[in-house]
Amino acid sequence: MILFVEQALNGLQYGSMLFLLASGLTLIFGIMGVINLTHGAFYMVGAYSAAFAVLSTGSFLVGIAAALIGAGLYAVLVEVAVVQWLYRRDHLYQVLATLGLILFTNEAVSLIFGRRPPLMDIPPFLQGSVPLLPGLDYPLMRIAFIVTGALVAIGLWALVNHTRVGMLIRAGADDREMVDALGVNIRRLYTLVFGLGGALCGLAGVMAAPLLAIEIGMGERVLITTFVVIVVGGVGSVRGALVGALLVGMVDSLGRAYIPQLLQLSLPASTADTLGAGLVSASIYVLMAIVLLVRPNGLLPARG
Amino acid sequence: MTSRLRLAVITGGLLLLLTAPFLAQLTGSAGLLGLANRIAIYAIAAVSLDLILGYGALVSFGHAMFFGLGGYAVGIIAFHTGAGEPLLGWQGSNAALIVWPLALVACALLAAIVGTLSLKTSGVQFIMITLAFAQMVFFVLVSLQSYGGDDGLLLDRRNTLPFVDLSRPTTFYYVCVALLIGWTAFCARVVNSRFGLVLQALRQSERRAINLGVDPFPFRLTAFVISAIGTGLAGVLWANYARFVSPDMAAWSKSGEFIAIVVLGGLGTLLGPIAGAAVFIALEQILSIWTEHWMIVMGPILTLVALFGRRGIAGRLFGERNG
């Protein structure tokens, strides 16, 4: 039981991180119709910026600021230089153009920061763990992660539903020309949304940095998982991103905990280990395939 | 004029492909033959992908799974043969005439399953679900600990053909080129047949085609399977060329590379992807000799190709869609 609660919390924490990435990505896709593979690179840029800032100043808060600014600015740069030419182009070209940007970003980051991955410690005020249940001490850092995810979810909900910018974002998703004709600078709005998506990636990056390894290519692994989240949740909806992120987070962490055990009940140990490892890694893709087959547009699509 | 230019380019390209071993010998650089061989193999995959990408408008972002499966079919059988447990206990089980068709059948089966499931979706969802299936294959390959897992599998020797010595680089190269020419000719027949025309009609306007009484699914599925077989063939040849297979063959970045080659060469032209493969592989080679950080140049090149290269190399040369 304790194990189950712990794994569920891990799932929640992982889902929280996925939500930070998926919400920005789906906002961008829902509004501008661009498949942006560079999204994972923003996450990497955020983590590297944070690690660099923390190494040189020693302050985690400066690290957070550096991640938000670094990833946000890089996203704006990418939008202005490349992505703005890709609206309304075939998805194929968007995939190719942003794939090129990933290769570029990976090399650029390794040139600037070196091949050796930087280390980042858990900041002192988030070290240690909290007793949640008798027999269950849960790390404070992970709890902070979950809380951040929840705050961002609430914040985005408020932004999209209760502010003028949010209203324009929703209107722009439905009818770009109309919003443009009403005198709103839609180009700038798009750049803004893109930068916001990048900043959210940066936040995910700085939170993940002390827990996971900071390395070149960390963006791609999480990017593909983020796509799974979006497709499961429904492309273009932030609510869908939340549901998808939690579902994928849970399936992944519970799968990691229980699939090998379940297999060992029926198979010889060596076969179970091999097969288990493969099944664990593939579990979220199996989830995605099942969801797509039952509901081709995802669980909570933006329209319909 | 255009048709004469076309003929000239095709003849020139063919000559270049056929004389590559002599050129390599003349210039005394053995690397040139390997380069040409890699181009020929990638070109087979690119032509196959273009069949659904260019003619069917189905953006498969997971075609590397067939490349990987084809390669692993060769690798796994070779591994068991080498360990003295040949296929069905038959000593000749490293024969290309047995192993290669077997690998292609495996690819066709996988494609039938993946295609059936994926074609329930379209657009972005299709891109994503093909990617998801490829990731599943990738992780299965990584988890195959007895076949090297992450590190991949070295092959003792190439498959054997009667009367043809595949272990000789030049001979193997010509086999690859022959297969490339044969496969491209086959694909050209396919796209110009009634089947291919229906596929292109579906690309232009699915609704109109449906109203004319076409059921899209069987056409698209067939094209998907043919395309997978071709990509699997490229994987088979790659395993034989490199004598090494690894999960990287099925990685998502490999799928991206294939797409890049097709777009670079020209969507919906079968000869374009061959040129695309040549330019892409040669560029990769040149850049990686020039600097260890060659990706920093290759990345922006891909981006520029996507931004400005709508018609690709072939489109620029010939200005037409078929051929």
Side-chain angles (χ1 to χ4, degrees):
Chain A
M1 187 59 205
I2 292 291
L3 176 72
F4 178 78
V5 174
E6 193 171 355
Q7 291 306 327
L9 281 171
N10 283 344
L12 200 59
Q13 179 254 315
Y14 186 40
S16 197
M17 178 181 110
L18 291 177
F19 174 68
L20 291 181
L21 296 161
S23 53
L25 190 63
T26 205
L27 217 53
I28 289 165
F29 184 81
I31 295 170
M32 318 179 197
V34 172
I35 305 185
N36 173 33
L37 297 188
T38 332
H39 211 70
F42 300 155
Y43 163 80
M44 177 181 68
V45 169
Y48 270 89
S49 310
F52 183 72
V54 170
L55 273 182
S56 41
T57 65
S59 158
F60 189 67
L61 292 177
V62 174
I64 293 180
L68 288 175
I69 295 170
L73 276 183
Y74 188 59
V76 167
L77 193 72
V78 162
E79 202 270 351
V80 171
V82 175
V83 173
Q84 64 157 314
W85 310 106
L86 293 169
Y87 302 133
R88 325 237 160 155
R89 290 285 297 276
D90 198 284
H91 294 317
L92 177 64
Y93 297 99
Q94 300 168 351
V95 166
L96 187 58
T98 49
L99 181 76
L101 282 176
I102 294 184
L103 302 180
F104 171 78
T105 313
N106 279 345
E107 262 331 307
V109 167
S110 84
L111 274 178
I112 295 169
F113 294 101
R115 287 252 178 232
R116 219 169 44 172
L119 286 174
M120 202 166 129
D121 290 327
I122 296 176
F125 59 92
L126 287 177
Q127 271 170 9
S129 44
V130 191
L132 288 182
L133 284 173
L136 173 63
D137 288 348
Y138 201 68
L140 200 56
M141 182 72 205
R142 287 176 184 269
I143 294 177
F145 216 133
I146 296 172
V147 172
T148 310
L151 287 178
V152 168
I154 296 169
L156 270 183
W157 172 79
L159 175 77
V160 172
N161 290 303
H162 293 281
T163 64
R164 194 182 137 72
V165 170
M167 184 188 75
L168 292 176
I169 289 175
R170 278 177 292 141
D174 281 339
D175 192 335
R176 181 195 152 111
E177 276 81 18
M178 189 58 82
V179 178
D180 206 21
L182 288 173
V184 175
N185 188 341
I186 195 113
R187 282 262 351 100
R188 212 168 56 203
L189 183 71
Y190 277 17
T191 312
L192 193 77
V193 174
F194 213 84
L196 176 68
L200 287 175
C201 287
L203 189 59
V206 68
M207 299 296 292
L211 297 176
L212 308 166
I214 305 178
E215 59 190 346
I216 305 294
M218 66 191 281
E220 282 94 277
R221 233 166 297 139
V222 82
L223 170 79
I224 300 206
T225 314
T226 308
F227 274 129
V228 174
V229 165
I230 287 178
V231 170
V232 166
V235 173
S237 93
V238 177
R239 263 188 328 148
L242 184 61
V243 171
L246 293 178
L247 204 56
V248 168
M250 287 297 169
V251 166
D252 184 82
S253 81
L254 294 180
R256 241 164 251 289
Y258 292 109
I259 287 178
Q261 292 183 14
L262 285 177
L263 284 178
Q264 269 166 6
L265 294 179
S266 54
L267 290 170
S270 63
T271 322
D273 281 352
T274 314
L275 196 63
L279 271 181
V280 165
S281 319
S283 61
I284 59 167
Y285 302 101
V286 176
L287 168 77
M288 166 161 149
I290 293 171
V291 169
L292 273 177
L293 292 177
V294 183
R295 294 180 63 111
N297 291 322
L299 295 174
L300 292 171
R303 290 176 200 85
Chain B
M1 183 60 211
T2 329
S3 69
R4 272 173 64 191
L5 175 67
R6 208 177 125 83
L7 200 66
V9 171
I10 293 172
T11 320
L14 258 178
L15 270 177
L16 214 58
L17 268 178
L18 291 175
T19 53
F22 301 107
L23 291 177
Q25 217 164 35
L26 274 181
T27 52
S29 62
L32 205 60
L33 182 61
L35 183 74
N37 208 336
R38 289 203 294 280
I39 290 172
I41 294 173
Y42 268 65
I44 294 177
V47 167
S48 311
L49 180 60
D50 191 33
L51 201 61
I52 56 167
L53 205 64
Y55 294 91
L58 298 169
V59 184
S60 166
F61 199 8
H63 247 52
M65 75 179 118
F66 305 114
F67 192 68
L69 182 64
Y72 264 82
V74 172
I76 288 174
I77 294 174
F79 175 78
H80 284 295
T81 310
E85 325 161 339
L87 196 66
L88 302 172
W90 179 57
Q91 281 308 324
S93 73
N94 215 26
L97 291 178
I98 306 288
V99 176
W100 295 7
L102 215 58
L104 300 187
V105 169
C107 289
L109 283 177
L110 179 68
I113 299 168
V114 169
T116 304
L117 297 175
S118 306
L119 285 168
K120 286 176 183 275
T121 63
S122 62
V124 196
Q125 270 89 357
F126 183 80
I127 299 181
M128 293 304 148
I129 197 167
T130 46
L131 174 63
F133 279 115
Q135 286 296 101
M136 285 184 226
V137 170
F138 175 79
F139 285 120
V140 168
L141 296 182
V142 169
S143 75
L144 293 176
Q145 288 304 332
S146 43
Y147 302 119
D150 251 337
D151 299 328
L153 194 61
L154 278 168
L155 279 64
D156 292 342
R157 56 198 138 111
R158 291 181 177 154
N159 293 128
T160 51
L161 268 179
F163 312 117
V164 181
D165 183 9
L166 290 184
S167 60
R168 283 192 53 215
T170 315
T171 314
F172 181 70
Y173 171 73
Y174 279 122
V175 169
C176 291
V177 170
L179 285 170
L180 170 64
I181 294 172
W183 182 251
T184 309
F186 171 74
C187 288
R189 285 203 65 156
V190 168
V191 297
N192 291 315
S193 67
R194 185 184 166 277
F195 170 83
L197 295 179
V198 173
L199 199 64
Q200 295 180 62
L202 282 167
R203 179 195 70 212
Q204 283 165 7
S205 169
E206 183 173 336
R207 203 191 309 172
R208 194 186 304 159
I210 289 174
N211 282 329
L212 286 171
V214 175
D215 178 9
F217 180 75
F219 287 95
R220 288 185 168 152
L221 183 64
T222 310
F224 193 82
V225 171
I226 296 176
S227 165
I229 292 173
T231 313
L233 177 64
V236 164
L237 294 176
W238 183 264
N240 274 288
Y241 164 74
R243 289 196 292 147
F244 173 64
V245 292
S246 78
D248 278 344
M249 286 180 78
W252 74 287
S253 49
K254 188 67 77 189
S255 301
E257 245 173 64
F258 289 151
I259 294 180
I261 289 174
V262 174
V263 174
L264 183 65
L267 274 181
T269 65
L270 289 170
L271 298 176
I274 301 176
V279 172
F280 189 91
I281 303 283
L283 205 60
E284 199 179 79
Q285 177 89 5
I286 293 166
L287 289 176
S288 60
I289 291 171
W290 178 53
T291 164
E292 155 192 23
H293 301 286
W294 58 280
M295 284 282 190
I296 208 160
V297 186
M298 196 63 166
I301 288 177
L302 292 189
T303 306
L304 290 173
V305 165
L307 286 178
F308 302 109
R310 273 177 213 241
R311 293 159 65 212
I313 299 169
R316 294 227 176 268
L317 274 178
F318 309 136
E320 60 174 292
R321 189 127 190 155
N322 287 326

